[in-house]
Amino acid sequence: MKKLLLATLCMLGLWTHAQTPKWVNQARKAIISIVTYDKDNKIMNNGNGFFVKTDGTAVSDYSLFDGASRAVVISSEGKEYPVDCILGANSMYDIIKFRIQTDKEVDALTLAASPATVGSTVFLLPYASQKEITMERGTVDACTQVEGKYNYYTLHLQTNDKAVSCPITNAEGQVLGMIQKSADANTANSYAVDAAFAAELTLNALSRVDPALNSIGIRKGLPEKEDDAQVYLLMSSSMPADDYLALINDYIRQFPNSHEGYLRRASFNMDQKDEEHYKMADEDLAKAIEVSTQKDDAYYNVCKLVYQAVANGIQYPEWTLEKAMQCIEEAIKLNPLPIYIQTQGDLYFGMKNYEKAYECYDRVNHSDLRSAESLFSAARTKQVMGANEEALALMDSTVAFFGPLLTEKAAPYVFQRAQMKAALEKYRDAVTDYNEYERLVLGKANAEFFYIREQAEMQCRLYQQALDDIEKAVSMDPKQVLYIVEQVALYTRFSQFDKAVEAAQKGIALAPDNADLYRMLGFGQIQLKQNEAGKQNLLKAKELGDPNAEKLLEKYAK
């Protein structure tokens, strides 16, 4: 009898031990309570979740966060942590992954290496702020696969809404799944989605346009793959400055040996336009070179940022064309890519060392990177050097680079060639190129273009075309006084005095101190026999300092 009693007591001890395994007290620290808030800072929802990484990465149900503007996590010890960013979401399976703001490691649950078998026992770990925790036991009734590799469990275990997003574990305390909402609170069954499914949620390059993520106002983290993260950063550049900076900092934390993050943060700080941020930017430029495993690319990109800062007029002692030149020279030493040599040519051009600039462009034009841009750079340099015929020949090569059937991509270079021809007084050839440019841009030519073409047309006596173009310019930009003055001048030259007077009056309404308009108005009125009005306007032109007005007064207004 004593032996039977002793055996019974031992079995009870084992049963009690099974009810509360040793790992429970540690595991409970990883289970959290979550409170979400709307844009007015009012509580929306509260629920559960658990940490899956010691860096503060946790999982929960998506519906808890849907529409939220911020969220906080409360640990089993009662400590509160703000949710820093969302790391992935799947609204169909109602799961979400996020990270909290913390400087210390947190307790995290371990994911089970293998799924639970049908009929096996599982344990439900609820959130508890007390030291004592009551575990519920259930069994696996069914296990199916979702998304090709994750498990979805049907459990013989009755749960309620307070258990949603709490973990179920095996006997060793490894997490199998996460309890989901049940359609029927009175059913004896419950359901759990694979915890690995939630833990392995990630962002990708297109997550910026994911409706499920965009319905959450909390900032998003970065994709885990570096290439995706770079694209995601690029697509996020228009987001609020603080959120974008936080995203860059995420990138640097995830990819500390990539110079991309330091370069982006340097560019961000340059845009803040103050001494303190310039200093931080300069430190990041140095760090980018230090950590990079692609030194030539790092030097090249640092060169570009310094060159850009100088071009934008940023005053910082460390950022000069000489500094940019040092960087590109280092890049060329490591890897003499044509694009680096093209950049070196741009720097020499900025330093007004046109001979060396041309040498660089010429090297590029004899490489595989020969392009319309490199040919144009060489042409522009020759023009500045005064070698206009050579410049024009290079412009011909630039346009020819696009082949016999020109497209809109060739339009800027056709326009530049027209400008060069006009400068060489080859006006008819220039007009031909201007006409080609207008055709290529498919109706997108602006008022300035029509004014410029009118100037060339006048030089080669294409008067009707010139008149049509200046009228077009004025109709497109009726407040530009320069165009109106030219229009009045043409009307006057072609003896269309009624039009000249009308246009001059419109111009004077915009520019009441324009002497040219008063002179031409006065002259036109005299031609129309409006002598007194014409005289008064010529007097006004004289008063405004027009030297030709007095001669006209002597001739026509005696």
Side-chain angles (χ1 to χ4, degrees), residues 304-334:
K304 286 201 302 180
L305 282 175
V306 172
Y307 186 21
Q308 180 183 328
V310 174
N312 291 339
I314 292 177
Q315 300 293 319
Y316 189 72
E318 299 299 320
W319 299 338
T320 62
L321 290 179
E322 289 72 22
K323 169 71 173 179
M325 182 64 79
Q326 290 172 8
C327 290
I328 202 63
E329 286 174 349
E330 290 297 328
I332 291 170
K333 284 179 187 176
L334 293 166

Side-chain angles (χ1 to χ4, degrees), residues 36-50:
T36 57
Y37 297 82
D38 64 15
K39 62 182 180 180
D40 297 319
N41 208 33
K42 293 180 180 178
I43 293 177
M44 281 180 52
N45 298 301
N46 56 65
N48 307 303
F50 52 93

Side-chain angles (χ1 to χ4, degrees), residues 31-329:
I31 305 166
I32 53 178
S33 176
I34 304 164
V35 182
T36 57
Y37 297 82
D38 64 15
K39 62 182 180 180
D40 297 319
N41 208 33
K42 293 180 180 178
I43 293 177
M44 281 180 52
N45 298 301
N46 56 65
N48 307 303
F50 52 93
F51 291 119
V52 291
K53 286 185 180 180
T54 58
D55 67 353
T57 299
V59 296
S60 184
D61 53 298
Y62 169 81
S63 55
L64 180 62
F65 285 80
D66 189 15
S69 291
R70 75 178 184 94
V72 296
V73 160
I74 303 166
S75 71
S76 60
E77 297 173 346
K79 293 182 179 179
E80 187 174 298
Y81 303 90
V83 171
D84 180 35
C85 62
I86 306 300
L87 298 175
N90 187 310
S91 57
M92 179 180 294
Y93 289 97
D94 199 25
I95 50 178
I96 194 167
K97 178 179 171 184
F98 60 93
R99 187 174 62 236
I100 65 168
Q101 290 180 15
T102 179
D103 296 327
K104 298 180 180 179
E105 289 191 348
V106 299
D107 291 288
L109 296 178
T110 302
L111 300 181
S114 57
T117 57
V118 174
S120 63
T121 300
V122 293
F123 299 86
L124 170 64
L125 288 177
Y127 171 78
S129 58
Q130 313 296 325
K131 286 189 176 181
E132 293 296 325
I133 184 168
T134 303
M135 290 174 51
E136 295 186 45
R137 294 157 51 98
T139 54
V140 177
D141 281 354
C143 178
T144 57
Q145 288 228 313
V146 295
E147 297 292 308
K149 64 175 182 177
Y150 299 112
N151 302 301
Y152 197 87
Y153 298 101
T154 301
L155 307 173
H156 186 72
L157 175 67
Q158 188 170 10
T159 59
N160 55 34
D161 286 346
K162 291 183 178 180
V164 172
S165 292
C166 287
I168 58 164
T169 73
N170 57 24
E172 287 75 38
Q174 298 170 335
V175 182
L176 295 163
M178 185 167 66
I179 294 293
Q180 297 212 290
K181 288 182 180 178
S182 177
D184 183 0
N186 297 317
T187 182
N189 289 332
S190 58
Y191 305 90
V193 64
D194 199 332
F197 190 179
E200 292 175 11
L201 286 173
T202 185
L203 304 172
N204 58 47
L206 299 178
S207 292
R208 283 283 294 164
V209 294
D210 185 337
L213 288 166
N214 287 333
S215 70
I216 301 172
I218 301 167
R219 83 174 188 90
K220 315 309 179 291
L222 275 178
E224 293 178 1
K225 294 181 179 179
E226 187 171 350
D227 289 346
D228 283 348
Q230 288 185 14
V231 175
Y232 190 86
L233 265 181
L234 182 65
M235 295 177 66
S236 303
S237 58
S238 60
M239 69 194 314
D242 289 345
D243 289 346
Y244 183 56
L245 179 59
L247 208 58
I248 296 172
N249 289 333
D250 283 346
Y251 184 95
I252 291 172
R253 181 171 57 249
Q254 285 180 220
F255 312 106
N257 294 322
S258 168
H259 58 262
E260 183 71 25
Y262 298 102
L263 292 171
R264 286 190 178 275
R265 191 164 66 183
S267 179
F268 176 89
N269 283 322
M270 283 178 174
D271 290 340
Q272 306 314 302
K273 302 188 185 308
D274 63 65
E275 195 74 16
E276 182 180 354
H277 282 94
Y278 291 158
K279 182 179 179 182
M280 290 190 291
D282 198 49
E283 290 171 355
D284 273 339
L285 294 179
K287 189 69 175 177
I289 294 172
E290 177 189 332
V291 305
S292 179
T293 56
Q294 298 174 287
K295 297 291 186 189
D296 61 308
D297 188 58
Y299 275 118
Y300 167 64
N301 281 286
V302 170
C303 165
K304 286 201 302 180
L305 282 175
V306 172
Y307 186 21
Q308 180 183 328
V310 174
N312 291 339
I314 292 177
Q315 300 293 319
Y316 189 72
E318 299 299 320
W319 299 338
T320 62
L321 290 179
E322 289 72 22
K323 169 71 173 179
M325 182 64 79
Q326 290 172 8
C327 290
I328 202 63
E329 286 174 349

